[in-house]
């Protein structure tokens, strides 16, 4: 159900439920245009397919799951979908307001903006924590399957600690703002549908850290230990 924009609600949900969804940030007609362009680019075979499993380690905040999706890296987005660069900068004040943080754009060109396209028949992203401070996803498809799954850490003095599981299905044009560094999350595998997510990575001023091995693991499937050795 669409509640409209309510800053107080978004701030509360972000801080206490670790994520909030702002509806209708992008018009459905523009989502259609971008989706068509993305599909056309993938059909040319020039967009990388990430396909690995069991390579993640705690060093990169990953549980070692399966990764299967096409990926547009930062330069691919800048070259082919410049509209998203405008969105990335334009919504920064919105992201700062909802998170109550001094939010900055990413200094990392490969990972500042990405598009992940999960193909039908097993497209997925393994359980992990994000390394950047503030995670924002803009959905370009509406899906009845392949939700984002969150494992929300809960604690109460009388009840101890537990994990609350929550699934959020994609709605085209909506924006998810999440504490990706604090909540373990993954993308449930697709069955029949294709899912398209624009990943907008933000940081907090003074903390733009990114693990040295992270991009070669996420994009190229290089195990973190090998990557560290290769860099040493
Ligand atoms: Fe993530």
């Amino acid at each position: 159900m669409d509640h409209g924009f309510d800053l107080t609600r978004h701030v509360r949900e972000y801080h206490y439920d670790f994520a909030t969804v702002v509806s209708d940030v992008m018009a459905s007609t523009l989502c259609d245009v971008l989706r068509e362009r993305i599909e056309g680019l993938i059909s040319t075979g020039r967009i990388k397919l990430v396909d690995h499993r069991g390579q993640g380690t705690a060093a990169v905040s990953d549980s070692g799951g399966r990764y299967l999706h096409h990926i547009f890296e930062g330069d691919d987005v800048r070259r082919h979908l410049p509209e998203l660069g405008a969105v990335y900068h334009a919504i920064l004040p919105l992201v700062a307001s909802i998170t109550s943080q001094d939010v900055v754009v990413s200094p990392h060109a490969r990972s500042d903006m990405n598009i992940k396209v999960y193909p039908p028949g097993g497209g997925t992203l393994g359980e992990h924590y994000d390394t950047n401070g503030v995670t924002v996803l803009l959905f370009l498809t509406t899906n009845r399957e392949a939700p984002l799954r969150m494992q929300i850490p809960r604690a109460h003095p009388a009840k101890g600690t537990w994990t609350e599981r929550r699934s959020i299905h994609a709605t085209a044009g909506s924006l998810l703002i999440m504490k990706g560094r604090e909540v373990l999350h993954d993308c449930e595998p697709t069955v029949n549908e294709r899912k398209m997510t624009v990943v907008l990575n933000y940081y907090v001023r003074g903390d733009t850290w990114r693990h040295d091995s992270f991009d070669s693991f996420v994009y190229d499937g290089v195990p973190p230990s090998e990557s560290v050795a290769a860099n040493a």
Side-chain angles (χ1 to χ4, degrees), residues 116 125 128-130 135 178 185:
K116 292 179 179 169
L125 180 72
H128 65 281
Y129 294 97
D130 295 332
T135 298
M178 177 172 69
H185 57 278

Side-chain angles (χ1 to χ4, degrees), residues 88 92 95 99 101-108 111-112 130-135 181 200-211 214-215:
Y88 182 48
L92 190 144
V95 176
T99 60
Q101 294 272 23
D102 188 1
V103 174
V104 295
V105 296
S106 170
H108 308 289
S111 59
D112 54 354
D130 295 332
T131 60
N132 53 300
V134 179
T135 298
R181 222 187 228 182
L200 303 171
N201 284 324
Y202 294 90
Y203 290 82
V204 171
R205 194 178 308 281
D207 181 6
T208 55
W209 171 84
R210 193 165 173 86
H211 191 286
F214 195 63
D215 289 348

Side-chain angles (χ1 to χ4, degrees), residues 10 19 34 36 48-49 80 88 93 144 153 158 171 204 219 223 227:
H10 292 303
L34 297 185
E36 252 177 57
K48 181 189 291 188
L49 180 68
H80 300 295
Y88 182 48
R144 297 175 66 173
T171 302
V204 171
Y219 302 129
S227 169

Side-chain angles (χ1 to χ4, degrees), residues 144-167:
R144 297 175 66 173
E145 50 186 59
L148 171 78
R149 296 187 292 204
M150 300 167 57
Q151 299 178 40
I152 302 171
R154 297 293 192 192
H156 184 279
K159 300 176 191 166
T161 60
W162 71 99
T163 301
E164 178 185 329
R165 291 178 183 266
R166 188 170 168 214
S167 293

Side-chain angles (χ1 to χ4, degrees), residues 1-5 9-10 13 21-24 169 171 174:
M1 191 170 73
D2 182 13
H3 302 277
F5 184 78
R9 175 172 67 83
H10 292 303
E13 289 178 353
V21 177
V22 182
S23 305
D24 300 321
H169 287 82
T171 302
S174 70

